[in-house]
Every structure is written in C-alpha cells, then in structure tokens.
Amino acid sequence: MNKPLRCAVLGALALLANTAFADNLNALIQAAKKEGELNVIALPHDWCGYGGVIAGFKAKYGIKVNELNPDAGSADELEAIKANKSNKGPQAPDVIDVGLSFGPQAKAAGLLQPYKVSNWKTIPDSVKDKDGYWYGDYYGVLAFEVNKDLVAKTPTDWSDLLKPEYKNAVALAGDPRAANQAIQGVFAAGLSQSKGNVAKAADAGLKFFAQLNKSGNFVPVIGKAASLAQGSTPIVIRWDYNALADRDTLKGNPKVEVVVPKSGVVAGVYAQGISAYAPHPNAAKLWQEYLFSDEGQLAWLKGYCHPTRFNDLAARKKIPQDLLSRMPDAAAYKKALFPTLEQQEAYKAVITKQWDSVVGSNVK
C-alpha cells in the first residue's frame, strides 16, 4: 500500500473510531440523564478539589449528586456497599473512591462491576485492574500540616515528632484501623524509622506511634482543617493536597505550613470503582468518564493532586502552566516511594490488626 493511500485508510479508521466513541458516549449520557441521580460517598469538597469536580459534573450533565458521609474511610465505603446491596435509594453508593489496596479487596468481595473508560490505555498498568474493576485516579505524598500560630518550630522529619515540644500536638487524618490515609501515615513513619526497609516498616510504624502515644505527643483525634485551626490537633499527618487545600481555605487564620518530611516519603494512589449493586449504573459510568477525561484530570491539579494520566496530558501539552506552578516542589515526588499492591496489602493487614494491641489508642 502506498503512503498516501495508507494515510487515507488510517484517517478513515480514526474517523470511524471517533464517530463510534461519540455515539457510545451520547448514548451513555442519555441513559445517565434518564436515571437522573448519582450517589457518591467519602468525597469531602476540600479533598483533591472534589467540590469543583462535583460541581463541574453537575453543570455539564444536569445530574443530581447525592453526597453520602463525606468523612468516611475506605473500609467504610466497602461496608456501605455491603449494607445496601438491595437498597436502590440514595443511601446506596454508586461509586467509590478508595486507597489503592482497597480496590482488589472490593473486587475479591464481589462488590464492584467492571467498566473501562474511553481513556483506559493512558492509565498506567501499575494502578489499574486489567479487567476494569478498579483504576487509580490521582495521587499525592504524605506531609506535615502545621498550625504556625501554635507550633514555633516546624518538624522536618518523623523523628522530630517525638520531641517534648510537640506534646499533645500530633494527629493522624483518620482511624488507622480503617482509613487508608492513616494507614499510610503509620507506614510512612515506619519507613523512616526502618531506614527504607519496606518489610519492617509496618512494625516500626506501630512502635513509633506507640512511643508517640506514651510520650503524650499523639492526639487520638481525627485531624481536619477545623481541629487544626481550633488547636486541638496542631500538627496533622495528611496528604499534601489536603494540607495545601486547608492552607488556602484558612487564609492565614491560622497560618499553615506544609512540609514533606525528609525521609519516609510515601506516595498514595486512590482508585475509583463502580458498585456491583449501583442504583444508577449509567450515571456511575458517566462519572468515571468525566473523572478520567482531560477536563476531569486537570480538575485534580486544581486541587493540588497529581492525576494518573499526568504523563499523557503533559506529552500532549494539555497542562496549563499556572496549574503546574501551584504544585509542590517536584523534588518531593522524585524521592517518594510508591508501594506495590502486594506491599500495601501486607502492611495494611499488620497495621489494622495490631494497632489496638501495640499502640492502644482509640482514634475517633
């Protein structure tokens, strides 16, 4: 086949593919609009810019979004699916957003249905299920969020948190027996204490928090922007994007400093999935199409998150410079550890099962 003819054939095939995709998307949009609603869970508006993401979806498609339990942890989301298997009302989640290790757990329990978004090929293989049951959407690194009105000297590494000057100051942003963010916080502390030994990090992290608790530095309260501002949790171990969003929201009252620790830098990927019992399956699929579209992925950057399709967007020069300039120092990401799924499963089991016996602090 000569070159002009080959180009013409390829062009025609591309046109057909684009036409087929447009037809399929239009059909999905109509089916979703007919359902008229979408039930989401565990999506605080200040988490990764979800307030803007939800508003964008509603404005674009005119679909009502029912927001369930914004402060739920990943384990709570799976329990919500289990508890509402026969419920077709607004309390039954259509979709979930969970820590990466909870994706395989949900699939194994039969809680998810497969769906591959149109941009499936541009999602890295390492953060998606090959059959489409779950797929990573965004990531960040764990950081220290510090109330500078109350904390004179900012801690720069995990070992600093044990110092007497941080008495009654340090909190996790969740319950480490159920919330992915808190589990990763314990692991990150342990990774620092074990000098990067992943196999020993879970045990080291539990011992670190036991010591933190015994010294009176650990506060058994789930750290949030409100508790940080009120002074009950002056230092919160939190995903960088949440901490940076809090800094913007609080507008200097109090002054907030966000620091990525010198060691034990852990990156966390969160994954999307559609409930096997979704009351609005088409709206759920359309939600995923929106989240993984260029528009949806750029919305994560507005919320200080790195979208999983970042490399694809960058290669196509689709990322505005003003969004890139708002992101944390790239050096923090270069030294970050991205735990494998197998590693996450292993340390999650240790931390969730042994927190009570080793640390003995009821976080709530």
Side-chain angles (χ1 to χ4, degrees):
M1 184 182 296
N2 61 47
K3 188 174 181 180
L5 180 58
R6 180 173 179 272
C7 289
V9 171
L10 290 175
L13 289 173
L15 180 62
L16 286 171
N18 290 336
T19 302
F21 166 67
D23 289 344
N24 290 338
L25 183 59
N26 285 333
L28 179 61
I29 292 171
Q30 294 310 309
K33 286 186 173 182
K34 187 174 181 180
E35 292 172 347
E37 297 185 27
L38 174 74
N39 301 340
V40 301
I41 185 172
L43 305 184
H45 284 200
D46 58 355
W47 179 290
C48 209
Y50 255 122
V53 171
I54 293 169
F57 178 77
K58 290 194 293 187
K60 187 164 189 171
Y61 298 113
I63 293 172
K64 179 182 178 182
V65 178
N66 302 311
E67 301 179 47
L68 313 175
N69 194 3
D71 294 324
S74 296
D76 300 322
E77 296 182 61
L78 304 195
E79 288 303 317
I81 295 179
K82 293 177 185 176
N84 291 280
K85 287 182 178 180
S86 59
N87 180 4
K88 295 301 179 183
Q91 294 305 310
D94 285 304
V95 291
I96 57 173
D97 174 303
V98 294
L100 193 66
S101 65
F102 286 85
Q105 181 180 331
K107 177 185 177 182
L111 301 179
L112 303 177
Q113 59 177 280
Y115 179 71
K116 294 184 178 181
V117 295
S118 54
N119 283 321
W120 180 258
K121 290 183 179 179
T122 63
I123 303 171
D125 290 342
S126 60
V127 294
K128 66 185 179 187
D129 174 65
K130 64 181 180 64
D131 297 317
Y133 282 88
W134 52 264
Y135 17 89
D137 201 3
Y138 57 85
Y139 66 91
V141 299
L142 284 162
F144 302 153
E145 180 180 0
V146 183
N147 179 334
K148 288 302 293 176
D149 287 357
L150 298 175
V151 179
K153 187 175 182 181
T154 302
T156 60
D157 210 351
W158 293 96
S159 57
D160 291 340
L161 300 179
L162 295 168
K163 295 178 179 178
E165 62 197 271
Y166 302 123
K167 196 171 186 68
N168 296 316
V170 184
L172 287 163
D175 182 348
R177 296 164 294 190
N180 177 67
Q181 184 173 197
I183 293 167
Q184 301 291 356
V186 176
F187 171 74
L191 190 68
S192 173
Q193 299 303 295
S194 66
K195 302 188 185 308
N197 189 324
V198 174
K200 295 182 179 180
D203 288 329
L206 288 169
K207 290 175 183 175
F208 176 85
F209 274 91
Q211 189 177 355
L212 203 66
N213 188 44
K214 186 177 180 180
S215 69
N217 288 18
F218 184 63
V219 183
V221 172
I222 294 175
K224 304 174 185 177
S227 63
L228 181 94
Q230 292 163 3
S232 56
T233 61
I235 301 172
V236 180
I237 298 164
R238 200 149 160 77
W239 293 122
D240 59 344
Y241 48 83
N242 290 332
L244 291 163
D246 289 348
R247 184 189 65 184
D248 291 352
T249 301
L250 294 169
K251 298 178 180 178
N253 187 27
K255 181 181 177 182
V256 174
E257 187 171 357
V258 180
V259 178
V260 176
K262 292 179 180 177
S263 64
V265 181
V266 173
V269 178
Y270 277 75
Q272 297 288 331
I274 299 175
S275 168
Y277 308 93
H280 314 104
N282 292 299
K285 292 172 183 176
L286 186 61
W287 170 252
Q288 302 302 346
E289 289 290 352
Y290 181 73
L291 295 185
F292 287 91
S293 68
D294 288 2
E295 179 182 350
Q297 293 280 286
L298 289 176
W300 296 138
L301 278 171
K302 294 177 183 177
Y304 296 110
C305 288
H306 273 68
T308 56
R309 293 186 53 237
F310 184 91
N311 290 343
D312 173 61
L313 291 168
R316 294 187 292 115
K317 295 181 170 53
K318 294 291 185 179
I319 305 176
Q321 185 56 45
D322 64 314
L323 290 184
L324 287 175
S325 64
R326 295 174 72 248
M327 296 301 289
D329 184 0
Y333 290 87
K334 289 179 181 177
K335 62 182 178 180
L337 170 73
F338 283 79
T340 66
L341 272 171
E342 292 75 17
Q343 290 169 338
Q344 289 188 54
E345 287 289 347
Y347 65 70
K348 182 179 78 172
V350 173
I351 292 167
T352 55
K353 292 175 183 176
Q354 297 185 27
W355 174 268
D356 285 335
S357 61
V358 177
V359 182
S361 181
N362 186 26
V363 180
K364 57 185 178 180

